[in-house]
Each structure stands twice: as structure tokens, then as C-alpha cells.
Amino acid sequence: MSTPRIAVVGASTLIGEAVIEELRSREFPCAELHALDDERSVGATVGDADRPLPVSPVDGFDFARADLVFFCGRRAL
């Protein structure tokens, strides 16, 4: 089995940031790690200062580019 490509939708939420932190702290092998969120967070970074991960828009993301996806959405207002 090849190394998975991972996407985290809702990456800038508390849960999304915790998922990314946990993946990195456990040194979970991944070929790619995509931080995705809505337009409110696009352009921000998540993760620690040593390895910031830019947040990309979830709209238009080709989910064929990911083998494993974590959905960490926020509550609708």
C-alpha cells in the first residue's frame, strides 16, 4: 500500500487543527496533507510555527487527490 494523501476539511476549526497536530505529532506517514476550509480561512495557515500549512479553498478541491479525508466542519450559524 502506498503512503496516503490526506485532506482535512475545516482545517481552521479547533477540531481540524487538532487533527493536523495529531497527525504530525504521531508522524503519521502521508504523501500530501491538504488543509481545506471555506473562504473565511483561505490564505491563513494552520499547524505549528515550524511547519505552517496554508489553508486552501474546499470549493473546487478535487477529492480524487486524497485517499483519506477528515471532515471537521463548523456549526452553521
Side-chain angles (χ1 to χ4, degrees), residues 2-77:
S2 62
T3 308
R5 301 165 298 167
I6 300 173
V8 179
V9 177
S12 63
T13 65
L14 290 175
I15 299 298
E17 288 185 18
V19 168
I20 291 169
E21 181 180 327
E22 194 66 24
L23 290 169
R24 286 181 163 175
S25 71
R26 292 179 182 256
E27 297 179 1
F28 189 86
C30 62
E32 299 174 17
L33 180 57
H34 301 278
L36 306 172
D37 215 320
D38 61 19
E39 68 278 351
R40 293 179 280 189
S41 301
V42 170
T45 58
V46 294
D48 56 29
D50 295 332
R51 297 179 292 174
L53 186 62
V55 177
S56 299
V58 69
D59 293 344
F61 180 75
D62 180 6
F63 283 93
R65 295 175 51 198
D67 303 304
L68 177 63
V69 180
F70 293 93
F71 288 91
C72 310
R74 58 177 59 90
R75 190 176 76 189
L77 299 177

